[in-house]
Amino acid sequence: LGLSTAALADVTIGGGFGYRYDSTEAGSAAKSTKDRLRADLVASSKINDQTNEVVSLRTGSFNSAWDDVGGNAGLKTVGLNLAYVEYAALDNVKVTIGKFNQPWATSSSLFFDKDVKPERLAVAYTNKLGFVNASSVTITEGGANPDTKVTSLQVGSKKDLFGLAVSGAVGLQDYNNTGAKQYKIQQAFVNVGTKFAGKPVTLFVDTLKNTEATTGDAALAYGVKFGNAVNPKEWDVAVLHQKVEANAQYDLWQDSDIAGAKGDHEGNGFQGTYVIAKNWKLNGKYFDSKRGVSQESYKRVLVDVG
């Protein structure tokens, strides 16, 4: 698909910049303290009434948008973050092809690092009762060998019940050709929203289970968020507890903040956000975890402005 000169009027350009202080203590290694930055550029275009294209470039690596400052003022790594076409096949059906945001609904758990952008095909269906997400993503093109792929199906709903905003989903991810470890992951989560002292409060519980594993097959996360920092001078705080056993989650998705992108961890996360001005936030996070067979200590402080 391409753009004609006339269609350029329908192109929207966006992006963002951020600056980070990053302090990490992992086991017996020396404490690491870094200044980091991120930048991204997003172009979206309306091809016709049913079709949109999105292309995004960003700094960083596949599971982090942040690059270290320094390097003798050298150029920063920039890569293709998103590249997809979205087609509204019907009023409530969307088909996405390319490299896109993760096509399944999630809670506030850190089971999936949301900086990781899968590739191939996703279909989403929504109606007044809920939603269905289905996808087939390719992790590794095998060439002469079978591809490593993930096929997923998720069913969920959002409802107001007894004055509470309740949402949740159940899903299955079936992995093929992943080597020595096999994965068939069941997930179920629920979010419950209410108000306390005039502020929004959201609680969540999220679980994973790898039915192909005989040991270390489960993961559990739960937490609460108070407030919702959207407009200037608004703030929020959140706390999370998470445990991911050694065989519960596929390594690609491990979050890079709570335990350095490693599974077999248990820890707590604390977060606070304040909106300085429109589209400009100050965010702080602290993680305190144990990871691996040796239960190595992992502590991380992140302070972001952007």
Side-chain angles (χ1 to χ4, degrees):
L1 297 175
L3 289 174
S4 66
T5 303
L8 289 175
D10 292 323
V11 176
T12 301
I13 303 295
F17 168 82
Y19 204 89
R20 164 174 283 186
Y21 168 81
D22 185 340
S23 173
T24 304
E25 298 179 64
S28 59
K31 181 178 179 179
S32 168
T33 302
K34 298 178 179 179
D35 285 327
R36 314 188 78 191
L37 59 81
R38 63 162 178 82
D40 69 295
L41 182 67
V42 183
S44 59
S45 58
K46 182 179 180 180
I47 304 304
N48 55 50
D49 290 341
Q50 295 174 290
T51 312
N52 294 308
E53 283 183 331
V54 175
V55 176
S56 169
L57 303 176
R58 80 165 190 208
T59 51
S61 61
F62 84 98
N63 66 349
S64 176
W66 299 90
D67 256 339
D68 296 347
V69 229
N72 294 316
L75 299 180
K76 302 304 177 188
T77 302
V78 176
L80 186 65
N81 183 42
L82 297 170
Y84 65 86
V85 59
E86 184 181 73
Y87 173 61
L90 299 169
D91 287 343
N92 50 2
V93 177
K94 288 186 178 180
V95 179
T96 306
I97 302 172
K99 184 175 181 64
F100 38 73
N101 292 308
Q102 292 169 21
W104 41 78
T106 63
S107 69
S108 295
S109 72
L110 301 179
F111 292 156
F112 294 88
D113 191 317
K114 295 177 179 62
D115 283 328
V116 182
K117 311 298 183 183
E119 303 164 7
R120 196 165 180 253
L121 171 68
V123 180
Y125 170 79
T126 58
N127 63 24
K128 61 182 181 180
L129 297 177
F131 58 87
V132 179
N133 296 319
S135 63
S136 176
V137 302
T138 299
I139 305 301
T140 303
E141 285 283 3
N145 300 312
D147 297 342
T148 301
K149 289 184 177 180
V150 186
T151 303
S152 69
L153 179 65
Q154 183 184 58
V155 179
S157 184
K158 297 179 181 180
K159 294 291 180 184
D160 289 331
L161 298 173
F162 309 108
L164 302 174
V166 181
S167 64
V170 294
L172 174 67
Q173 292 188 337
D174 190 4
Y175 292 71
N176 294 294
N177 306 308
T178 54
K181 284 187 177 183
Q182 302 298 310
Y183 297 88
K184 187 173 287 185
I185 296 175
Q186 299 173 347
Q187 183 183 20
F189 70 85
V190 62
N191 303 304
V192 179
T194 185
K195 284 195 173 183
F196 179 77
K199 293 283 188 180
V201 179
T202 304
L203 301 93
F204 81 91
V205 178
D206 199 344
T207 64
L208 290 182
K209 183 175 178 63
N210 177 15
T211 60
E212 292 292 300
T214 55
T215 60
D217 60 354
L220 172 67
Y222 52 86
V224 60
K225 177 182 176 183
F226 181 75
N228 189 26
V230 176
N231 300 309
K233 297 184 180 180
E234 290 182 340
W235 56 270
D236 60 48
V237 292
V239 60
L240 163 147
H241 180 83
Q242 178 164 299
K243 180 177 181 180
V244 178
E245 295 179 346
N247 302 313
Q249 177 61 300
Y250 188 62
D251 284 345
L252 174 72
W253 310 117
Q254 301 289 358
D255 187 85
S256 60
D257 290 344
I258 192 169
K262 293 186 178 181
D264 196 11
H265 67 257
E266 182 172 8
N268 300 303
F270 307 89
Q271 175 177 292
T273 303
Y274 179 76
V275 183
I276 302 169
K278 184 178 180 180
N279 299 325
W280 195 250
K281 293 182 179 182
L282 174 65
N283 177 266
K285 299 177 183 178
Y286 173 68
F287 298 99
D288 186 356
S289 306
K290 303 289 185 182
R291 64 183 190 180
V293 176
S294 65
Q295 289 293 281
E296 174 187 69
S297 174
Y298 185 89
K299 297 181 181 181
R300 194 169 187 183
V301 175
L302 303 172
V303 180
D304 302 340
V305 179

